[in-house]
Amino acid sequence: MALEEYRKKRKFDETPEPAGSAQKSSEQARFVVQKHLASHLHYDFRLEIDGVLASWAVPKGPSLNPRDKRLAMMTEDHPLEYADFEGVIPEGNYGAGKVMVWDQGTYEVQGKPAAEQLAEGSLKFTLKGEKLRGGFALINTGRRAADPRQQRRWLLIKERDEFADPSWNIDEQDWSVLTHRGIQEIE
Ligand code: MN
């Protein structure tokens, strides 16, 4: 895992996002979900794996309803420092728009090390966030596709446990866990 692609896409003299560096792994692996109002609203789901944030763009956002299978397109690794980034990416820059720290916390991988599961295209983990809790799976359904873009297709699915919520509605969760602002209030 490396941050070249992340850095190549960004001009750090223009964007407030961190340039960052690959770090030693934290004692407790972190996760973050950022609500990102760019050209299209989506949620960026990020898991700390081997000193960087493995990242997926989830158009409809994560769900606590185990019936929802949320498309999650794998994107470039981000630096760990990105987990605390909330603000505005200026016009003309990659991902221009508002970024909110929608949820944050730690996670525990279920079974083999996360990097191995990631490489195998099936990752199971337990989130301890403010909004997201309990077991989840990420499954790389596009793994065997010929088209490289299709290979980035994963599904994010809530496991059935005491944290499952069939009435989950993400639109009722428009607040930052850092600043309690709604997405339109980020500036
Ligand atoms: Mn994004």
Side-chain angles (χ1 to χ4, degrees), residues 40-54:
H40 297 283
L41 176 69
H42 62 274
Y43 294 75
D44 290 300
F45 186 86
R46 311 189 198 278
L47 294 175
E48 177 184 346
I49 299 177
D50 288 352
V52 294
L53 294 170

Side-chain angles (χ1 to χ4, degrees), residues 61-70 156-158 165-166 168:
S63 176
L64 290 182
N65 184 349
R67 289 175 177 277
D68 291 334
K69 295 178 171 59
R70 292 291 163 85
L156 176 63
I157 306 164
K158 178 77 192 76
D165 176 6
W168 172 259

Side-chain angles (χ1 to χ4, degrees), residues 50-91:
D50 288 352
V52 294
L53 294 170
S55 297
W56 291 260
V58 185
K60 292 186 178 173
S63 176
L64 290 182
N65 184 349
R67 289 175 177 277
D68 291 334
K69 295 178 171 59
R70 292 291 163 85
L71 175 66
M73 294 299 284
M74 195 170 214
T75 59
E76 75 276 18
D77 294 340
H78 279 50
L80 286 189
E81 293 97 313
Y82 208 93
D84 298 310
F85 175 71
E86 180 170 289
V88 176
I89 302 171
E91 279 302 315

Side-chain angles (χ1 to χ4, degrees), residues 9 18-19 38 47 53 71 76 80 92 95 108 125 135 139 152 176:
K9 287 181 165 167
L47 294 175
L53 294 170
L71 175 66
E76 75 276 18
L80 286 189
E108 271 170 33
F125 50 92
I139 313 292
R152 292 174 169 262
S176 161

Side-chain angles (χ1 to χ4, degrees), residues 130-148:
E130 289 189 39
K131 295 172 182 170
L132 300 180
R133 300 185 77 83
F136 286 80
L138 266 166
I139 313 292
N140 188 195
T141 54
R143 190 173 163 70
R144 302 195 191 284
D147 176 358

Side-chain angles (χ1 to χ4, degrees), residues 9-130:
K9 287 181 165 167
R10 291 172 177 79
K11 295 170 273 187
F12 294 106
D13 52 344
E14 291 186 19
T15 179
E17 297 163 288
S21 53
Q23 307 268 317
K24 278 211 330 218
S25 301
S26 315
E27 213 143 288
Q28 291 237 286
R30 298 178 70 186
F31 85 95
V32 63
V33 183
Q34 280 149 320
K35 186 171 182 177
H36 187 182
L37 183 56
S39 47
H40 297 283
L41 176 69
H42 62 274
Y43 294 75
D44 290 300
F45 186 86
R46 311 189 198 278
L47 294 175
E48 177 184 346
I49 299 177
D50 288 352
V52 294
L53 294 170
S55 297
W56 291 260
V58 185
K60 292 186 178 173
S63 176
L64 290 182
N65 184 349
R67 289 175 177 277
D68 291 334
K69 295 178 171 59
R70 292 291 163 85
L71 175 66
M73 294 299 284
M74 195 170 214
T75 59
E76 75 276 18
D77 294 340
H78 279 50
L80 286 189
E81 293 97 313
Y82 208 93
D84 298 310
F85 175 71
E86 180 170 289
V88 176
I89 302 171
E91 279 302 315
N93 287 274
Y94 180 72
K98 297 168 187 274
V99 177
M100 170 208 284
V101 177
W102 181 85
D103 199 17
Q104 224 182 33
T106 60
Y107 80 95
E108 271 170 33
V109 65
Q110 300 170 15
K112 288 195 269 192
E116 269 180 56
Q117 295 193 35
L118 189 71
E120 289 169 4
S122 172
L123 191 57
K124 292 202 168 159
F125 50 92
T126 304
L127 298 180
K128 295 176 189 167
E130 289 189 39

